[in-house]
Amino acid sequence: MNCSFKHKTARQYKKHFFWATSVFIAASLASCDNMTDNYKKYLEGGEIIYPGKADLVTAHPGKNRIELEWLLKSDPSVTSAIIYWSNKEKYKEVPVSRTSDVDTIKVMLENMDEQTYTFEIYTFDRLGNKSVVSEVTGAVYGDKYRSTLMNRAIRELNITDDGNLNISWETADEGTRAEELTYTDMNGITCTAIFDVSEQTVRLENFNPDQTLRIATVFTPDSAAIDTFKAAGELIDFDVFETIAEVDRSKFSLINLPGDKNEPNSANNAIQQIWTNTYSCDGTPYISKAWAITACNDLWPFPYWFTIDLGDLYNLSSLTLWQRGGNNQLYANNNPRLFEIWGAAETDITYNPAEHGNVFDNNWILLESCRITPPDDPALYTSTAAAGHEFDLRINGKTKKIRYIRFKILDNWLADSGSCPLVKKRTYINIASIRLDAIQKIIQLKF
């Protein structure tokens, strides 16, 4: 009985299982038919195609304009694009010509108001299919931004002896790219010089301190900007005054030009002594080679000359000379009595004055004809000579730019008839030391 009951129940269960399964399959098929009906309406007219979108979009801000740039990579079907902004109230259509490679598209939007924008970019193929959107945010700059810009502050001004203006800057503001400087040079020409922000000290050549200096600092709002902006031009207010200062003798050197006679009588008495000795009569002097000459045919007749390179251009104002002193040698013993000081900004290394009647070429200017005269009272010889003999090198009160000076020796203090009929005395000279002073212009900022 029990076994028969169990067998019957299993058969009944199997029958119900197949019935339930059939119902489920039928319901599923009905459901699939309904889903198909739902999406078929979206595919009417064919499958949706999305052209390749604008990729890696960047915005380059400018002055009332902005440049948008993007890449088109793999889709060759793209034929155009549309850029929307201002909530799609404004747009620009962009034709596209594809190549077989990755293409870079650049579009300039002009006459833009100064503000920040969000741009939406869609690409299209020739059938009008539209890509998914690409977005980028960018700013347009104009007069509002420019009004916030300040010119870079100057730390120091300095005029060099050769007439150039050195400018040292304070730290630059963020976004600074360059400094534009406008000035008038010594020839009356208006000059404009532009210097990169990285230059902490700049030089204006041949600057005229009696004229104006104007600055305008150049900025970009960010590193991707396509335009620069200049701060409003500003006149630099400064004072100029003159002072007299010693010329740096460490720059001096001997220069050998045709016809020069600068040999010493010994190594200890080299001409360099006159700019390395202290300012006194006591140093080991320069003694010219003529001291050692005894043969009449070898004597140096007056005049003869030697030349010194000052190492730079100077507006020379005066020269002070110290005689050789000691052992009653002041105003005697071949110290110079008559000589000329000549100056030049440049030299002609091919011209020999000895071949032109001892006349110097046109580069040379006579700065001063010098005479050393002793005081009437011999008791004052030492104190007078110790102070040095100063000679004004200005011409009609005005200085000349000089780099080379030339001593032209005309006579000395030795009353020696000598043994030669043509040369009445031995023509060597002694000089213990020299000093040169120059006019320097000092320029100071007004604060």
Side-chain angles (χ1 to χ4, degrees), residues 106-121:
K106 294 182 178 181
V107 180
M108 187 71 71
L109 303 179
E110 304 277 2
N111 301 317
M112 303 287 286
D113 291 334
E114 185 176 4
Q115 64 182 64
T116 300
Y117 296 88
T118 297
F119 298 95
E120 298 179 1
I121 303 172

Side-chain angles (χ1 to χ4, degrees), residues 153-157 170 236-239 444-447:
I154 293 175
R155 177 179 299 169
E156 184 180 24
L157 297 175
E170 296 287 3
I236 304 303
D237 200 8
F238 55 84
D239 287 320
Q444 289 184 344
L445 289 168
K446 289 183 179 179
F447 295 99

Side-chain angles (χ1 to χ4, degrees), residues 276-444:
T276 57
N277 283 338
T278 59
Y279 297 138
S280 73
C281 300
D282 301 328
T284 301
Y286 163 61
I287 302 178
S288 63
K289 187 178 179 180
W291 180 87
I293 296 175
T294 57
C296 289
N297 292 338
D298 295 332
L299 285 172
W300 294 357
F302 291 128
Y304 61 88
W305 51 87
F306 57 85
T307 310
I308 301 172
D309 180 358
L310 306 182
D312 211 337
L313 284 168
Y314 297 96
N315 292 302
L316 295 181
S317 59
S318 66
L319 178 141
T320 305
L321 180 144
W322 281 266
Q323 306 178 51
R324 178 187 184 183
N327 298 323
N328 298 317
Q329 296 184 84
L330 296 175
Y331 307 100
N333 196 33
N334 291 78
N335 276 310
R337 187 174 72 88
L338 297 176
F339 58 95
E340 296 172 345
I341 302 297
W342 293 72
E346 56 186 22
T347 61
D348 183 351
I349 62 173
T350 65
Y351 184 91
N352 187 344
E355 298 173 353
H356 297 83
N358 298 330
V359 175
F360 299 156
D361 65 80
N362 291 332
N363 289 315
W364 292 95
I365 302 169
L366 176 61
L367 301 178
E368 182 68 349
S369 295
C370 307
R371 176 188 294 270
I372 295 179
T373 303
D376 294 335
D377 185 354
L380 299 177
Y381 279 15
T382 299
S383 60
T384 302
H389 304 282
E390 184 176 2
F391 303 96
D392 191 344
L393 301 185
R394 289 171 291 193
I395 300 175
N396 297 324
K398 296 182 178 180
T399 61
K400 297 287 186 180
K401 289 187 180 297
I402 301 298
R403 172 164 180 162
Y404 305 93
I405 62 167
R406 176 172 276 175
F407 282 80
K408 187 175 185 179
I409 309 300
L410 305 177
D411 197 9
N412 62 16
W413 278 100
L414 181 62
D416 176 9
S417 61
S419 57
C420 299
L422 297 179
V423 180
K424 300 302 182 184
K425 57 185 175 183
R426 295 163 67 191
T427 57
Y428 74 89
I429 59 166
N430 310 308
I431 300 176
S433 185
I434 61 169
R435 168 181 171 140
L436 285 164
D437 289 288
I439 300 292
Q440 293 184 339
K441 288 186 180 292
I442 305 298
I443 185 168
Q444 289 184 344

Side-chain angles (χ1 to χ4, degrees), residues 59-84:
H60 303 284
K63 187 182 300 181
N64 295 113
R65 64 178 185 163
I66 191 167
E67 182 184 65
L68 301 183
E69 179 180 353
W70 67 85
L71 299 181
L72 288 177
K73 293 185 176 180
S74 58
D75 189 350
S77 69
V78 175
T79 59
S80 64
I82 296 181
I83 304 168
Y84 295 97

Side-chain angles (χ1 to χ4, degrees), residues 157-160 163-167 202-204 207 213 443:
L157 297 175
N158 173 257
I159 296 181
T160 64
N164 300 320
L165 178 67
N166 291 332
I167 302 174
V202 300
R203 170 171 287 199
L204 301 181
F207 176 76
L213 171 64
I443 185 168

Side-chain angles (χ1 to χ4, degrees), residues 188-246:
I189 299 173
T190 299
C191 306
T192 298
I194 299 176
F195 300 96
D196 187 78
V197 64
S198 62
E199 299 184 68
Q200 295 300 312
T201 300
V202 300
R203 170 171 287 199
L204 301 181
E205 302 288 340
N206 201 24
F207 176 76
N208 186 345
D210 296 325
Q211 299 295 322
T212 58
L213 171 64
R214 180 178 291 272
I215 178 176
T217 298
V218 180
F219 293 84
T220 54
D222 66 44
S223 59
I226 55 174
D227 292 320
T228 59
F229 294 78
K230 283 195 295 187
E234 177 185 358
L235 285 175
I236 304 303
D237 200 8
F238 55 84
D239 287 320
V240 179
F241 56 93
E242 293 184 346
T243 185
I244 296 178
E246 176 187 354

